[in-house]
Amino acid sequence: MATRAATFMVKISNLKDYYSRMVSGTLPTPSGVDMANTLKYFSQTLLGVLKDIPFVPSLETFGHRQKDSIRLSIFPNLDYFGLYEAVRHVIEIVPQVQTGQHELGESILNVIGCLVPFLELEILDTLPYLVASTLAFFPSSLHRDTIFLLCTNFMPCYLNVS
């Protein structure tokens, strides 16, 4: 049986493959639903990891660089940065997706929201811009979800930093 880390890496490879097939136009091009289903795996896995951790750091610790390594050390060793990079690339191809754009965008926003506790502070600093940039790529039906994610996941982190 595969370990969680190995499965995580295979699913990241799937996202990268979807991206390269969309960019190169290789047939069959993946649908938004295919990519959304892969992203749902990550949302479920990350939420499962959070359930397994007895103590999850509060949002206040996200603003302190000296506590960053302590916060990250409580999580299992999964390729969170690799997932971030894959999701960042998939965002760029959402306008090219023929079917399932809404489902794909919704899954991307969910994964980004779930990734917040797992990323280093330098990457967390870029997430609000990345999420805001989805307003240009995602269908207008997801703009409300984008604003909600910015207000609930990122604004509290930045408002608590002294």
Side-chain angles (χ1 to χ4, degrees):
M1 176 171 249
T3 64
R4 182 168 38 184
T7 305
F8 203 84
M9 291 298 295
V10 168
K11 296 286 186 177
I12 290 173
S13 295
N14 289 348
L15 284 178
K16 291 177 180 178
D17 180 56
Y18 291 149
Y19 172 77
S20 64
R21 284 177 25 207
M22 289 296 291
V23 169
S24 67
T26 305
L27 295 176
T29 56
S31 71
V33 175
D34 295 336
M35 291 184 269
N37 288 334
T38 301
L39 289 166
K40 286 177 187 173
Y41 160 81
F42 290 112
S43 296
Q44 292 169 351
T45 300
L46 295 173
L47 290 173
V49 167
L50 288 175
K51 284 182 190 176
D52 293 343
I53 304 297
F55 168 74
V56 177
S58 65
L59 289 175
E60 289 84 33
T61 62
F62 290 176
H64 303 287
R65 293 190 191 279
Q66 66 271 22
K67 294 181 182 177
D68 203 29
S69 61
I70 297 168
R71 176 179 57 85
L72 294 174
S73 69
I74 66 170
F75 299 121
N77 190 14
L78 299 174
D79 188 9
Y80 306 112
F81 180 74
L83 175 58
Y84 163 79
E85 285 293 313
V87 168
R88 190 174 60 81
H89 285 97
V90 170
I91 288 171
E92 298 170 9
I93 61 169
V94 169
Q96 299 170 9
V97 173
Q98 299 297 316
T99 59
Q101 272 190 352
H102 182 86
E103 292 83 359
L104 176 58
E106 193 172 50
S107 294
I108 289 171
L109 292 174
N110 285 335
V111 167
I112 291 173
C114 292
L115 262 175
V116 170
F118 301 98
L119 295 174
E120 294 178 4
L121 196 56
E122 290 79 25
I123 298 180
L124 278 177
D125 288 343
T126 68
L127 275 180
Y129 174 76
L130 179 67
V131 172
S133 73
T134 65
L135 292 168
F137 296 109
F138 288 3
S140 61
S141 59
L142 289 171
H143 290 178
R144 182 174 186 227
D145 296 336
T146 300
I147 300 301
F148 183 79
L149 180 63
L150 285 168
C151 292
T152 59
N153 284 41
F154 300 112
M155 294 304 275
C157 294
Y158 289 100
L159 293 175
N160 285 329
V161 175
S162 3

